[in-house]
């Protein structure tokens, strides 16, 4: 089409585009094409989605759902939490899924353990316009994420760097009040002594006295994130222990549990037998789930113990 037609079409869509942008940053209204601050992010979001739906197909933001359609029940979550992170990793490995070990997330205290459904929070590097456009105060994305948490939630915060602070005592007091199931980040935390006194599990790359806002800004709550080189979706099962943190995708959580649990049973039998025989582990271990030959030493041992 002629250039003036394209320009005319684009110009006619500017109000819709501006309205969508304003709703995204949490504006209460549009005045002369400028954002007027006032409303909360949550109250503005319906307007954003309505404007996006009304926009021509070519301008709509195409995005898959953040969370899986498969939900993890409380019963399954408890069962998954009863397994070691090693077994869960092995279960995903048997299925051929990518690694789910969140690199760098270590317990703030050695005996900490957490299990819960993921609530996600993504930071982006600091930039003046990012700070200006981000919803402020209690409507900030990080605080929105906080309010989604409960005792069966683990807040997963994706930092922009391992030594950058995602928060400390004042911010995370709210997580204590919400009785959160745990906090996991590939960044660092501050005010360590106070965080330990709060009583909820914290897994981070390290601790730091640095302030986070000078380097990064919270930008999105409960979207798909990358934390410690692992993709995390809201609702995934997050399990942390002394060895680190594992993300179990909600879409395959039941299958992962079934495989991981069966491996723990078999490994228990192997260890008991090795203690009895005092022989090299190679006689029975390692093994591949679903591929143990009936006439192998392990196959015969499992038959003897009544394990199929």
């Amino acid at each position: 089409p002629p250039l003036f037609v394209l320009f005319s079409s684009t110009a006619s869509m500017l109000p819709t585009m501006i309205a969508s942008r304003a709703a995204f940053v949490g504006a209460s209204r549009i005045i002369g094409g400028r954002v007027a601050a006032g409303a909360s992010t949550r109250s503005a979001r319906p307007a954003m989605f309505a404007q996006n739906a009304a926009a021509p197909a070519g301008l709509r933001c195409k995005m898959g759902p953040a969370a899986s359609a498969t939900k993890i029940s409380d019963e399954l979550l408890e069962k998954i939490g009863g397994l070691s992170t090693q077994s869960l990793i092995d279960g995903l490995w048997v299925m051929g899924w990518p690694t789910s070990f969140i690199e760098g997330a270590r317990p703030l205290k050695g005996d900490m353990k957490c299990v819960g459904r993921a609530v996600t929070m993504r930071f982006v590097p600091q930039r003046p316009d990012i700070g200006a456009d981000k919803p402020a105060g209690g409507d900030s994305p990080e605080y929105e994420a906080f309010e989604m948490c409960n005792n069966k939630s683990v807040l997963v915060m994706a930092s922009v760097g391992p030594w950058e602070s995602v928060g400390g005592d004042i911010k995370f007091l709210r997580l204590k009040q919400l009785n959160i199931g745990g906090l996991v980040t590939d960044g660092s935390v501050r005010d360590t002594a106070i965080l330990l006194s709060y009583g909820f599990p914290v897994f981070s790359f390290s601790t730091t006295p640095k302030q986070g806002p000078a380097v990064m800004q919270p930008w999105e709550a409960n979207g798909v994130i990358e934390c410690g080189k692992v993709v995390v979706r809201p609702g995934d099962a997050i399990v942390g222990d002394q060895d680190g943190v594992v993300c179990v995708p909600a879409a395959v959580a039941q299958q992962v549990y079934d495989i991981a649990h069966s491996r723990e049973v078999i490994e228990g039998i192997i260890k008991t037998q090795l203690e009895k025989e005092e022989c090299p582990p190679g006689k029975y271990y390692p093994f591949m789930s679903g591929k143990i030959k009936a006439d192998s030493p392990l196959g015969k041992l499992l038959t003897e113990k009544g394990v199929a």
Side-chain angles (χ1 to χ4, degrees), residues 10-138:
T10 302
S12 68
M13 291 184 287
L14 281 176
T16 295
M17 297 165 66
I18 294 172
S20 292
R21 175 59 179 161
F24 182 73
V25 299
S28 59
R29 59 197 181 281
I30 308 298
I31 301 175
R34 292 186 299 118
V35 176
S40 72
T41 308
R42 288 179 285 280
S43 65
R45 278 181 176 165
M48 175 184 71
F49 295 134
Q51 293 288 351
N52 190 45
L59 289 183
R60 292 177 192 162
C61 299
K62 295 179 173 63
M63 183 180 298
S68 170
T70 302
K71 308 302 179 186
I72 299 176
S73 68
D74 288 351
E75 179 184 6
L76 179 56
L77 185 65
E78 184 177 355
K79 289 180 178 179
I80 290 173
L83 300 177
S84 68
T85 52
Q86 307 97 297
S87 295
L88 295 171
I89 284 283
D90 290 350
L92 284 161
W93 169 70
V94 169
M95 294 175 63
W97 275 62
T99 181
S100 60
F101 169 58
I102 296 180
E103 293 185 10
R106 304 291 304 159
L108 205 55
K109 185 180 177 183
D111 59 353
M112 285 181 167
K113 184 174 176 68
C114 74
V115 57
R117 300 179 190 88
V119 172
T120 63
M121 172 64 233
R122 179 168 65 94
F123 288 88
V124 296
Q126 172 65 275
R127 213 175 75 171
D129 57 333
I130 293 289
D133 286 351
K134 179 185 72 68

Side-chain angles (χ1 to χ4, degrees), residues 64-69 117-120 222-225 230-238 247-251:
S68 170
R117 300 179 190 88
V119 172
T120 63
N222 235 25
V224 178
I225 64 171
V230 171
V231 175
V232 181
R233 299 178 74 180
D236 287 346
I238 305 296
C247 172
V248 180

Side-chain angles (χ1 to χ4, degrees), residues 54-286:
L59 289 183
R60 292 177 192 162
C61 299
K62 295 179 173 63
M63 183 180 298
S68 170
T70 302
K71 308 302 179 186
I72 299 176
S73 68
D74 288 351
E75 179 184 6
L76 179 56
L77 185 65
E78 184 177 355
K79 289 180 178 179
I80 290 173
L83 300 177
S84 68
T85 52
Q86 307 97 297
S87 295
L88 295 171
I89 284 283
D90 290 350
L92 284 161
W93 169 70
V94 169
M95 294 175 63
W97 275 62
T99 181
S100 60
F101 169 58
I102 296 180
E103 293 185 10
R106 304 291 304 159
L108 205 55
K109 185 180 177 183
D111 59 353
M112 285 181 167
K113 184 174 176 68
C114 74
V115 57
R117 300 179 190 88
V119 172
T120 63
M121 172 64 233
R122 179 168 65 94
F123 288 88
V124 296
Q126 172 65 275
R127 213 175 75 171
D129 57 333
I130 293 289
D133 286 351
K134 179 185 72 68
D139 291 322
S140 178
E142 61 188 328
Y143 300 133
E144 184 179 28
F146 286 11
E147 297 307 311
M148 297 177 184
C149 296
N150 56 41
N151 65 328
K152 295 187 184 299
S153 304
V154 172
L155 180 61
V156 185
M157 307 183 83
S159 176
V160 302
W163 294 106
E164 310 309 334
S165 171
V166 298
D169 66 332
I170 294 179
K171 286 186 179 181
F172 295 152
L173 172 62
R174 183 57 180 153
L175 299 183
K176 174 189 176 182
Q177 295 168 341
L178 293 167
N179 194 29
I180 193 171
L183 167 67
V184 171
T185 181
D186 53 0
S188 293
V189 295
R190 49 190 275 168
D191 306 312
T192 307
I194 299 176
L195 291 189
L196 287 172
S197 75
Y198 285 168
F200 61 82
V202 177
F203 292 75
S204 64
F205 176 82
S206 188
T207 58
T208 180
K210 295 172 64 178
Q211 293 182 342
V215 179
M216 60 185 182
Q217 291 282 350
W219 188 247
E220 181 185 14
N222 235 25
V224 178
I225 64 171
E226 178 188 345
C227 184
K229 299 183 181 179
V230 171
V231 175
V232 181
R233 299 178 74 180
D236 287 346
I238 305 296
V239 179
D241 59 22
Q242 288 180 318
D243 287 330
V245 181
V246 171
C247 172
V248 180
V252 292
Q254 183 65 60
Q255 298 97 305
V256 173
Y257 169 77
D258 291 340
I259 295 171
H261 179 258
S262 69
R263 288 184 66 87
E264 284 203 350
V265 170
I266 293 173
E267 288 182 358
I269 292 173
I270 291 174
K271 187 171 181 179
T272 299
Q273 189 66 21
L274 290 175
E275 290 172 341
K276 178 181 177 180
E277 289 189 32
E278 297 185 355
C279 65
K283 182 176 181 179
Y284 304 108
Y285 187 88

